[in-house]
Amino acid sequence: ASTLGAQAAQSGRYFGTAVAAGRLGDGTYTGILDREFNSVTPENEMKWDTTEPSRGSFNFGPGDQIVNRATSHGQRMRGHTLVWHSQLPGWVGSIRDANTLRGVMNNHITTLMNHYKGRIHSWDVVNEAFADGSSGQLRSSVFRDVLGNGFLEQAFRTARTADPAAKLCYNDYNIEDWNAAKTQGVYRMVRDFKARGVPIDCVGLQAHFGAGGPPGSFQTTLSSFAALGVDVQITELDIAQASPTAYANTVRACMNVTRCTGITVWGIRDSDSWRSGENPLLFDRNGNKKSAYNAALTTL
Ligand code: XIL
């Protein structure tokens, strides 16, 4: 096939991109979006600061704009993200009472998942909960500090009840190298959830890579998570300088793992990227395909 989405679909996978609602009026942007991609992740529009800026007051406008457009163009949706320490409004961060925070977290998860029920194939239920450089420690956040490590399990159980049909993912960065302590910590959490029947269906590996691309152990990491009985997804791929080899190595690792069900790049053109200074994406500022695009397409 001649596009990323159609080629990925030949092996039952998706190829997606992050989309920003503020760019949907740009015809070059939407032209590439609709031609190449069959899955969409809202770059910011489903985060807590946008969706529940004050307690109990929900704003679905920007998220709905992206979801409605994707649905009408035959694109599937990832949901990103329900529980995260960042882009979190101050009113959540200042809660000190555990029962209050548990109720607030559960209500946020339930309200978003109910609103988008049936329209999201996979939800990043918890994003970036583990600390860098250690194998079992969660990072400090209001969720960990007030609720304890059990907030993770609580979030996934609440999510399963809210939308039993959605795949529930744990999503993080710096878990691509099998030899990294953080990877081992997430691996042990997933193994523990599986052993105890805590609902989890997928691990999202963000894959924000430096110029060298994925670590040599990347495929081992994907297959090791998959062997626990979860899908793996590459959820936020971008690579400094976008070397074709680095992109091909990333795509090949996914193709070699049956349970690697899809790849999402974190933006369309270099000018759309949160790392725009590093030119990390598949399309240049004019919307032309870069050599990394061809490397990705021919490896799918
Ligand atoms: C980034 C967005 O791309 C930026 O627009 C925003 O200012 C900050 O967040 N990990 C994640 C994503 O899970 O949500 C982040 O997205 C990038 C890192």
Side-chain angles (χ1 to χ4, degrees), residues 43-44 47 80 84 87 127-128 171 206 208 236 266 274:
E43 186 171 1
N44 291 296
K47 294 173 182 175
H80 175 76
W84 189 26
Q87 292 178 272
N127 196 33
E128 301 181 353
N171 192 55
Q206 293 184 8
H208 295 296
E236 304 183 12
W266 205 242
W274 73 311

Side-chain angles (χ1 to χ4, degrees), residues 22 25 55 59 75 91 98 118 138 153 161 187 205 210 217 225 259 272:
R55 185 171 174 180
N59 170 25
Q75 294 149 337
W91 69 267
L138 301 187
E153 169 171 356
T161 302
Y187 179 81
L205 298 97
S217 61
F225 277 119
R259 291 199 77 154
D272 303 316

Side-chain angles (χ1 to χ4, degrees), residues 2-270:
S2 63
T3 66
L4 298 166
Q7 187 60 31
Q10 290 192 355
S11 66
R13 293 178 174 84
Y14 66 83
F15 204 103
T17 183
V19 163
R23 298 188 195 275
L24 291 173
D26 175 340
T28 305
Y29 182 84
T30 54
I32 301 169
L33 170 60
D34 298 338
R35 186 185 74 222
E36 297 287 344
F37 297 101
N38 55 11
S39 178
V40 164
T41 306
E43 186 171 1
N44 291 296
E45 292 78 356
M46 291 186 184
K47 294 173 182 175
W48 200 314
D49 57 356
T50 296
T51 53
E52 195 185 4
S54 61
R55 185 171 174 180
S57 157
F58 288 89
N59 170 25
F60 293 117
D64 285 357
Q65 197 189 340
I66 293 180
V67 173
N68 291 340
R69 191 182 185 288
T71 304
S72 70
H73 287 80
Q75 294 149 337
R76 305 168 68 213
M77 287 292 310
R78 297 192 82 260
H80 175 76
T81 177
L82 297 168
V83 180
W84 189 26
H85 67 276
S86 186
Q87 292 178 272
L88 185 70
W91 69 267
V92 181
S94 58
I95 296 172
R96 289 292 168 266
D97 175 68
N99 287 328
T100 304
L101 183 60
R102 193 177 304 109
V104 160
M105 182 183 82
N106 288 338
N107 184 54
H108 185 79
I109 294 169
T110 302
T111 305
L112 265 71
M113 291 187 82
N114 275 337
H115 180 82
Y116 289 114
K117 202 175 246 181
R119 295 190 285 171
I120 305 276
H121 67 79
S122 307
W123 266 109
D124 292 331
V125 177
V126 179
N127 196 33
E128 301 181 353
F130 278 69
D132 285 301
S134 91
S135 67
Q137 295 267 99
L138 301 187
R139 76 165 69 228
S140 172
S141 71
V142 70
F143 302 107
R144 190 210 66 173
D145 298 348
V146 174
L147 299 177
N149 292 355
F151 88 84
L152 269 163
E153 169 171 356
Q154 176 76 61
F156 277 88
R157 290 191 187 279
T158 300
R160 178 68 92 223
T161 302
D163 184 356
K167 299 251 191 209
L168 308 182
C169 303
Y170 176 78
N171 192 55
D172 214 330
Y173 66 92
N174 283 353
I175 58 167
E176 295 84 7
D177 183 349
W178 180 241
N179 304 306
K182 189 173 172 184
T183 307
Q184 294 300 312
V186 173
Y187 179 81
R188 284 201 286 269
M189 173 196 68
V190 175
R191 192 174 56 188
D192 170 61
F193 276 20
K194 282 297 193 182
R196 293 190 298 114
V198 180
I200 185 166
D201 306 303
C202 35
V203 173
L205 298 97
Q206 293 184 8
H208 295 296
F209 291 134
S217 61
F218 186 47
Q219 188 179 313
T220 297
T221 304
L222 296 178
S223 60
S224 299
F225 277 119
L228 293 176
V230 291
D231 290 343
V232 288
Q233 305 178 7
I234 297 172
T235 52
E236 304 183 12
L237 177 62
D238 50 20
I239 305 178
Q241 314 314 329
S243 114
T245 307
Y247 264 99
N249 289 344
T250 307
V251 171
R252 188 178 309 108
C254 182
M255 297 301 289
N256 285 344
V257 174
T258 308
R259 291 199 77 154
C260 183
T261 58
I263 299 172
T264 297
V265 288
W266 205 242
I268 297 179
R269 301 162 300 195
D270 288 331

